[in-house]
């Protein structure tokens, strides 16, 4: 269903449910809903925070209706019978208008619900900017450095936006709800957020942050503990699934084999990459930093190119300044097929014996493994 039709139904519902001047004002919540694509035998459930169905409404003339009272604003969900999808609503004692569609959901009403929608729109705008920058890079309008700087700036804006909303809503449910849907904060930032005066006075948010800090602190402490015994762990032989050996043409058409690259090394990263892959090139600077940091400790990289032409492959290597390590041109996707690669970037970390440490490893996990093993 088009957004225009959704909006028309939305406006119609809102206008039809305006309170008559003579009508007694109801002090609880009222939900007026529409299901444009559903037959009249359907049933809509109202589900509370404990995932329990607390009310139901039969769909009549493609509309449904709920009425009740909440002591405090709480998260609820609407769910159509026999469907898995749930639609979240922050329920307060006020009037709501809801249109549930197959792909889109419109909710109007409630102070916290309105603030949540505003936050979501701002986040969506920032995500759109990120995609626009990536498109500009892929079309050759900007260089890799500009792409990296723009993405970093947008991510900083996202973190500042989330922090601002959390602090400004510290005294209500929305702050904890927003925090639970974001992953922008590290341990130090969480502690700084908890020290904010407004946050410190907010019981619910303080509890959420304290729990998250405790969880991340444990992860940090566990990582340090594991690092302390890494020498002992490395002394014991660990069985790992053997990596598939392969060979191919290098930059100067010399034959390069994975077996020869592994020889004398402790850790090798196989990086399936292409010059046309924007996400691949976004992470290249971080991979290069890790290479420079650990290359003298037994670490090296073998990049396997999925480019269509050798010219594009070589140009991408030069642009990203990746000449310090090894490269193979994967003609016809022969090597990527061996490893079951469906999408790139795709990185595989192996040890000096050719055993696979981690497949489809992220840059963050790569950094952790290098810190632990080297």
């Amino acid at each position: 269903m088009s957004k225009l039709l959704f909006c028309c139904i939305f406006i119609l519902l809102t206008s039809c449910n305006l309170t008559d001047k003579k009508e007694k004002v109801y002090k609880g919540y009222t939900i007026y809903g529409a299901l444009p694509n559903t037959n009249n035998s359907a049933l809509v459930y109202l589900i509370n925070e404990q995932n329990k169905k607390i009310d139901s409404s039969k769909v009549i003339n493609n509309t449904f209706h709920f009425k009740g009272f909440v002591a405090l604003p709480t998260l609820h969900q609407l769910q159509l019978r026999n469907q898995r999808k749930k639609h979240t609503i922050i329920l307060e004692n006020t009037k709501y208008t809801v249109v549930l569609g197959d792909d889109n959901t419109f909710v109007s009403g409630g102070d916290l619900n309105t603030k949540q929608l505003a936050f979501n729109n701002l986040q969506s705008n920032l995500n759109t900017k990120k995609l626009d920058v990536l498109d500009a890079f892929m079309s050759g309008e900007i260089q890799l450095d500009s792409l990296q700087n723009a993405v970093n700036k947008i991510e900083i804006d996202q973190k500042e936006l989330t922090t601002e909303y959390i602090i400004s809503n510290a005294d209500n449910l929305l702050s904890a709800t927003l925090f639970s849907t974001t992953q922008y904060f590290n341990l130090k930032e969480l502690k700084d957020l908890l020290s904010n005066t407004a946050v410190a006075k907010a019981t619910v948010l303080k509890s959420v942050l304290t729990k998250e800090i405790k969880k991340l602190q444990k992860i940090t402490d566990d990582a340090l503990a594991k690092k302390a015994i890494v020498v002992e762990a490395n002394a014991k032989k660990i069985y790992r699934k053997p990596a598939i050996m392969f060979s191919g043409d290098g930059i100067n058409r010399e034959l390069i084999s994975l077996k020869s690259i592994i020889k004398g090394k402790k850790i090798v990263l196989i990086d399936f990459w292409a010059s046309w892959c924007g996400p691949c090139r976004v992470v290249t600077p971080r991979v290069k930093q890790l290479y420079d940091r650990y290359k003298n400790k037994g670490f090296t990289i073998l990049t396997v190119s999925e480019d269509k032409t050798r010219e594009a492959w070589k140009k991408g290597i030069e642009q990203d300044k990746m000449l310090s390590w090894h490269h193979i041109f994967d003609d016809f996707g022969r090597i990527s097929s061996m490893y079951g690669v469906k999408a790139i970037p795709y990185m595989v970390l192996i040890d000096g014996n050719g055993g696979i440490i981690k497949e489809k490893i992220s840059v963050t996990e790569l950094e952790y493994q290098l810190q632990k093993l080297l």
Side-chain angles (χ1 to χ4, degrees):
M1 176 174 288
S2 69
K3 288 187 177 180
L4 178 59
L5 182 54
F6 251 82
C7 291
C8 292
I9 296 172
F10 192 80
I11 294 170
L12 181 61
L13 267 177
T14 305
S15 61
C16 289
N17 293 315
L18 291 175
T19 303
D20 188 272
K21 291 182 179 179
K22 295 181 180 179
E23 182 184 344
K24 185 177 179 180
V25 177
Y26 182 63
K27 294 183 179 180
Y29 63 81
T30 306
I31 302 174
Y32 297 99
L35 280 158
N37 301 327
T38 304
N39 61 52
N40 291 328
S41 64
L43 198 65
V44 180
Y45 295 111
L46 182 63
I47 303 171
N48 65 11
E49 284 186 304
Q50 288 73 45
N51 202 33
K52 292 183 179 180
K53 297 170 183 174
I54 59 172
D55 202 354
S56 63
S57 176
K58 186 176 180 181
V59 178
I60 301 174
N61 295 326
N62 294 98
T63 63
F64 61 91
H65 178 240
F66 287 103
K67 209 171 186 180
F69 181 86
V70 287
L72 293 169
T74 49
L75 277 177
H76 283 67
Q77 293 176 313
L78 297 170
Q79 184 181 32
L80 194 61
R81 181 172 59 183
N82 299 326
Q83 287 192 9
R84 297 180 64 182
K85 188 175 182 180
K86 296 178 180 179
H87 310 269
T88 301
I89 180 171
I90 304 176
L91 207 55
E92 302 174 74
N93 290 316
T94 186
K95 184 184 295 184
Y96 293 87
T97 303
V98 179
V99 181
L100 304 181
D102 296 332
D103 301 314
N104 300 299
T105 300
F106 288 93
V107 180
S108 174
D111 179 56
L112 298 184
N113 211 72
T114 302
K115 288 180 178 179
Q116 172 82 70
L117 181 61
F119 173 82
N120 292 344
N121 288 337
L122 290 172
Q123 283 283 37
S124 178
N125 290 339
L126 290 173
N127 287 332
T128 299
K129 285 184 179 180
K130 192 181 291 187
L131 291 175
D132 289 342
V133 171
L134 185 57
D135 287 342
F137 170 74
M138 296 302 295
S139 64
E141 297 175 31
I142 61 173
Q143 299 300 313
L144 182 61
D145 289 347
S146 299
L147 170 65
Q148 192 71 36
N149 292 335
V151 170
N152 289 340
K153 174 64 170 58
I154 293 171
E155 289 178 348
I156 289 172
D157 290 343
Q158 287 179 316
K159 184 176 292 184
E160 290 178 349
L161 171 65
T162 304
T163 302
E164 178 186 342
Y165 261 72
I166 288 175
I167 293 175
S168 63
N169 291 282
D171 61 345
N172 62 57
L173 170 71
L174 187 58
S175 59
T177 303
L178 289 176
F179 175 76
S180 65
T181 58
T182 58
Q183 298 178 349
Y184 300 123
F185 302 98
N186 57 36
L187 184 58
K188 181 182 181 303
E189 290 166 341
L190 286 176
K191 290 180 177 179
D192 290 342
L193 188 57
L194 184 60
S195 67
N196 181 277
T197 304
V199 174
K201 293 179 180 178
T203 305
V204 176
L205 178 58
K206 184 178 179 180
S207 174
V208 172
L209 289 176
T210 302
K211 184 178 180 180
E212 187 69 14
I213 288 171
K214 185 177 180 180
K215 183 176 76 174
L216 289 183
Q217 187 67 62
K218 186 178 185 306
I219 292 173
T220 302
D221 293 342
D222 288 348
L224 291 174
K226 288 178 181 178
K227 191 172 183 178
I229 60 172
V230 69
V231 175
E232 181 182 350
N234 285 341
K236 299 176 182 179
K237 187 175 181 179
I238 301 173
Y239 174 78
R240 294 186 173 116
K241 174 184 173 182
I244 300 172
M245 294 294 127
F246 58 84
S247 61
D249 287 345
I251 294 178
N252 298 314
R253 291 188 178 272
E254 74 281 19
L255 183 65
I256 295 178
S257 68
L258 176 59
K259 186 176 181 179
S260 66
I261 299 300
I262 293 174
K263 190 175 182 180
K265 297 296 179 181
K266 295 178 181 179
I267 303 290
V268 176
L269 178 70
I270 306 173
D271 183 9
F272 290 92
W273 173 98
S275 64
W276 50 259
C277 171
C280 298
R281 300 183 72 173
V282 167
V283 301
T284 295
R286 288 187 63 187
V287 173
K288 190 172 184 295
Q289 288 174 358
L290 294 175
Y291 173 80
D292 291 336
R293 190 185 308 167
Y294 293 101
K295 64 183 180 182
N296 295 326
K297 296 183 179 182
F299 173 63
T300 192
I301 301 172
L302 174 58
T303 298
V304 180
S305 171
E306 302 304 316
D307 280 293
K308 303 301 181 184
T309 66
R310 293 176 183 270
E311 291 73 21
W313 166 46
K314 293 180 180 180
K315 185 178 180 181
I317 292 173
E318 292 175 358
Q319 288 177 338
D320 290 1
K321 300 179 176 62
M322 299 193 301
L323 292 168
S324 302
W325 58 78
H326 310 280
H327 299 271
I328 283 180
F329 185 73
D330 188 9
D331 48 329
F332 308 109
R334 173 177 54 87
I335 301 171
S336 61
S337 297
M338 294 180 185
Y339 279 79
V341 177
K342 303 297 182 183
I344 54 175
Y346 188 102
M347 297 187 290
V348 180
L349 195 65
I350 63 176
D351 60 27
N353 296 315
I356 296 177
I357 299 172
K358 181 83 174 180
E359 293 182 271
K360 203 175 180 179
I361 190 170
S362 66
V363 177
T364 301
E365 176 68 7
L366 172 62
E367 183 173 11
Y368 169 73
Q369 290 292 346
L370 291 174
Q371 287 176 347
K372 183 176 72 170
L373 299 173
L374 296 179

